[in-house]
C-alpha cells in the first residue's frame, strides 16, 4: 500500500520472442487510434530481448498514478508506418512504448531496396489532441530504387505523376522526413532530400538522358521540387541543371544549360534523319515544363556560335557567326509538335509520330525568295510566293542545294 492506495509493480522480461505476441502487453489505456496503428504497423519479426513494466494504483480509474512501459529489441522485422508507403523490411532496432508515446529506432533494414542507415520514429499526442507519427530516415541505394519509392508512395499523387516516365540508376543517399496524422485530422507533411553522385537520369517525356549527375534534389509538401548544384553530362557534353516549382500544384520545371552540345546529337534526339546540314558544337539552354494531365513542353535556345550551317545564303553561316535558334516542342504521348525559328529567315513546324517525320512546313525568307517548304510527303515541295533568280547569291550553287536538300 502506498500514499495513493493499493498499488502494484509488475516486471516481465522476454527473450527470443516473436513480434506477434506484442498485443498481449499493449496497455488497454492506449488510445484506440494508436492501438490500431501498432496492430497494423508491426509485422513479422523476432524479438531478441524485451521487457514489460506496469507500475501504479490498483484503484479503478486512477490513471494519473499508472505507468505502462514496453520495449522490444527486434530483428528481421517488418514495419509499415503507413499503408500508403512501402514498408520497412528486415529491420533491426528497438521499439519502446512509454505510456501513450511510441518510439522506434534502428540502423539496419530496407525500404523498397534502399538500405536503411538510420531511423527514428515517434508517435505522440499533439497540442490539439491529434495523434501524430513522425518518421526520419536516412537511406542509401540506387537512384532507380529511390525513384520507385516516389512512384509507389503518396509522392506520386503529390507530384501529379509527372515523374512516372522517369528512370534512374546510380548511387544516391536520401533523407526522408514524414509527419503522418493517425486520426486523419490533417494532411501528411513530406520532406525528401536526395544527394546523387554519378547517377543517370532518363526524363520522359522528352527523351533527355543526363549522365554522371551529381547534386541535390529535394521535395517538400506545399512547395514542391527544388535542387542545388546539379551537374552532369548531356549528349557527352557538360551540363548544369535545376529542378524547381512555384508550389506543389505548379508545373515542374527542369532547366539545363549545356556547354558545347554537338549538333549531330541534337538531330538524333529530334529523330530527324536529315543530311549533315549543321556541324559543330554550341552552348544551349533548355526548359522542360511538366504539368499534371497535360503534354510536357520543352524549349531549347542557342546562338549557334561554333556551328556551321551548309545552306544557301542567307540561311547558311560559318561556325564563327552567331545565329539564334529557338525550338519549342509539345510532347504528347504519341505525337510531337516542333515549332522552330532560325534567325528571322526560317520558321515553321515539324510533326513527329512514332519516331519519324510525319509532316510540317518551313517558311523561308530571303531577298530573292519567299515561300514554304512542305515536308512529310514522298517528296518535299517548295511552294513559292516570290522568286528572283537574278538575285540568287553567287555562292548558292548546286553543291549548296544538294547539301540542303
Amino acid at each position: 500500500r502506498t500514499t495513493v492506495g493499493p498499488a502494484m509493480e509488475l516486471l516481465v522480461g522476454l527473450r527470443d520472442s516473436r513480434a506477434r505476441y506484442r498485443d498481449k502487453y499493449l496497455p488497454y489505456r492506449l488510445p484506440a487510434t494508436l492501438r490500431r496503428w501498432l496492430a497494423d504497423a508491426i509485422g513479422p519479426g523476432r524479438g531478441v530481448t524485451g521487457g514489460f513494466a506496469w507500475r501504479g494504483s490498483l484503484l479503478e480509474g486512477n490513471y494519473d498514478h499508472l505507468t505502462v512501459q514496453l520495449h522490444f529489441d527486434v530483428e528481421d522485422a517488418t514495419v509499415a508506418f503507413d499503408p500508403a508507403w512501402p514498408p520497412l523490411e528486415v529491420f533491426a532496432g528497438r521499439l519502446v512504448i512509454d505510456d501513450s508515446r511510441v518510439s522506434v529506432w534502428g540502423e539496419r533494414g530496407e525500404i523498397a531496396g534502399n538500405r536503411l542507415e538510420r531511423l527514428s520514429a515517434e508517435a505522440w499526442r499533439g497540442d490539439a489532441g491529434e495523434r501524430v507519427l513522425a518518421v526520419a530516415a536516412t537511406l542509401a541505394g540506387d537512384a532507380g530504387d529511390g525513384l520507385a519509392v516516389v512512384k509507389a508512395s503518396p509522392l506520386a499523387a503529390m507530384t501529379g505523376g509527372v515523374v512516372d516516365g522517369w528512370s534512374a540508376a546510380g548511387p544516391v543517399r536520401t533523407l526522408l522526413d514524414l509527419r503522418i496524422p493517425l486520426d486523419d485530422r490533417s494532411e501528411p507533411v513530406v520532406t525528401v532530400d536526395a544527394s546523387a553522385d554519378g547517377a543517370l537520369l532518363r526524363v520522359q517525356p522528352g527523351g533527355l538522358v543526363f549522365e554522371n549527375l551529381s547534386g541535390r534534389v529535394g521535395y517538400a509538401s506545399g512547395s514542391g521540387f527544388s535542387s542545388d548544384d546539379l551537374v552532369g553530362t548531356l549528349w557527352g557534353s557538360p551540363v548544369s541543371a535545376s529542378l524547381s516549382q512555384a508550389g506543389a500544384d505548379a508545373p515542374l520545371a527542369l532547366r539545363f544549360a549545356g556547354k558545347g552540345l554537338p549538333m549531330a546529337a541534337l538531330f538524333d534526339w529530334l529523330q530527324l534523319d536529315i543530311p549533315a546540314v549543321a556541324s559543330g558544337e554550341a552552348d544551349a539552354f533548355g526548359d522542360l515544363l511538366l504539368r499534371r494531365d497535360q503534354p510536357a513542353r520543352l524549349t531549347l535556345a542557342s546562338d549557334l556560335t561554333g556551328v556551321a550551317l551548309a545552306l544557301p545564303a542567307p540561311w547558311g553561316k560559318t561556325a564563327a557567326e552567331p545565329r539564334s535558334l529557338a525550338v519549342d516542342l509539345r510532347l504528347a504521348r504519341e505525337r510531337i509538335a516542333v515549332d522552330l525559328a532560325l534567325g528571322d529567315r526560317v520558321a515553321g513546324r515539324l510533326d513527329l509520330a512514332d519516331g519519324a517525320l510525319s509532316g510540317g512546313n518551313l517558311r523561308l525568307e530571303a531577298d530573292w525568295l519567299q515561300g514554304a517548304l512542305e515536308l512529310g510527303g514522298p517528296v518535299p515541295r517548295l511552294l513559292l510566293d516570290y522568286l528572283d533568280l537574278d538575285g540568287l547569291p553567287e555562292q548558292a550553287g548546286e553543291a549548296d542545294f544538294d547539301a540542303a536538300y
Side-chain angles (χ1 to χ4, degrees):
R1 180 177 294 273
T2 68
T3 57
V4 297
M8 182 181 73
E9 180 175 291
L10 174 64
L11 303 177
V12 178
L14 301 171
R15 185 181 300 274
D16 293 328
S17 182
R18 293 290 174 183
R20 64 177 178 270
Y21 298 135
R22 67 190 180 280
D23 292 347
K24 295 180 180 294
Y25 301 98
L26 291 180
Y28 59 83
R29 63 191 291 258
L30 284 178
T33 54
L34 188 55
R35 287 182 63 90
R36 284 196 300 270
W37 178 79
L38 287 168
D40 296 337
I42 311 301
R46 183 170 68 91
V48 181
T49 59
F52 171 77
W54 192 100
R55 301 181 182 90
S57 171
L58 293 176
L59 297 177
E60 183 178 359
N62 191 1
Y63 296 137
D64 293 338
H65 298 88
L66 175 63
T67 294
V68 179
Q69 296 172 316
L70 174 68
H71 82 85
F72 276 107
D73 291 321
V74 300
E75 288 186 353
D76 299 326
T78 298
V79 182
F81 292 105
D82 187 287
W85 287 82
L88 171 61
E89 299 176 303
V90 294
F91 171 63
R94 170 167 286 196
L95 168 68
V96 175
I97 298 177
D98 186 359
D99 289 333
S100 62
R101 191 177 186 97
V102 179
S103 303
V104 182
W105 305 295
E107 296 180 352
R108 180 161 61 85
E110 290 185 0
I111 298 179
N114 296 275
R115 185 179 75 256
L116 177 70
E117 294 184 344
R118 180 188 64 86
L119 170 75
S120 174
E122 304 279 341
W124 71 91
R125 183 187 293 274
D127 296 337
E130 75 281 12
R131 286 287 163 184
V132 180
L133 170 66
V135 180
T138 301
L139 306 170
D142 186 77
D145 293 328
L147 198 55
V149 172
V150 174
K151 297 177 182 180
S153 72
L155 283 173
M158 292 179 183
T159 59
V162 296
V163 299
D164 287 350
W166 294 19
S167 61
V172 67
R173 193 166 183 265
T174 304
L175 305 180
L176 178 66
D177 282 289
L178 308 175
R179 286 178 65 92
I180 302 173
L182 298 181
D183 50 13
D184 299 326
R185 292 194 189 184
S186 59
E187 294 296 323
V189 178
V190 180
T191 303
V192 181
D193 197 299
S195 297
D197 185 10
L200 179 146
L201 176 64
R202 293 184 176 90
V203 177
Q204 291 288 0
L208 298 171
V209 180
F210 296 94
E211 299 179 288
N212 303 313
L213 196 60
S214 299
R216 185 200 70 86
V217 174
Y219 177 84
S221 299
S223 58
F225 281 97
S226 63
S227 69
D228 286 323
D229 302 324
L230 279 181
V231 294
T233 60
L234 175 66
W235 304 327
S237 298
V239 67
S240 59
S242 67
L243 282 170
S244 63
Q245 277 184 294
D249 296 327
L252 170 62
L254 169 61
R255 296 183 169 89
F256 58 92
K259 299 287 289 184
L261 297 177
M263 289 298 103
L266 173 63
F267 285 125
D268 287 343
W269 170 73
L270 287 172
Q271 303 174 350
L272 294 178
D273 184 16
I274 62 177
V277 171
S279 61
E281 301 174 348
D283 298 348
F285 302 88
D287 282 353
L288 176 63
L289 294 180
L290 300 167
R291 295 178 173 86
R292 184 195 304 260
D293 300 325
Q294 294 186 33
R297 182 177 181 180
L298 175 61
T299 59
L300 289 171
S302 174
D303 67 1
L304 295 184
T305 301
V307 173
L309 298 178
L311 294 170
W315 308 297
K317 77 178 197 70
T318 66
E321 296 177 81
R323 181 76 53 79
S324 64
L325 172 67
V327 182
D328 188 339
L329 300 93
R330 282 166 299 284
L331 306 168
R333 185 177 299 274
E334 297 179 356
R335 303 183 67 87
I336 299 176
V338 183
D339 289 329
L340 60 87
L342 179 62
D344 57 0
R345 298 286 191 169
V346 178
R349 167 175 288 197
L350 304 176
D351 295 315
L352 307 177
D354 299 324
L357 181 66
S358 62
N361 67 83
L362 296 176
R363 184 70 187 177
L364 306 177
E365 296 284 346
D367 293 338
W368 53 275
L369 179 146
Q370 293 182 2
L373 182 64
E374 289 193 347
L375 305 171
V379 177
R381 294 195 307 164
L382 180 60
L383 305 180
L384 295 174
D385 296 329
Y386 170 77
L387 176 63
D388 180 7
L389 293 179
D390 293 333
L392 185 68
E394 295 181 2
Q395 69 270 28
E398 181 177 347
D400 293 319
F401 280 104
D402 287 344
Y405 308 119

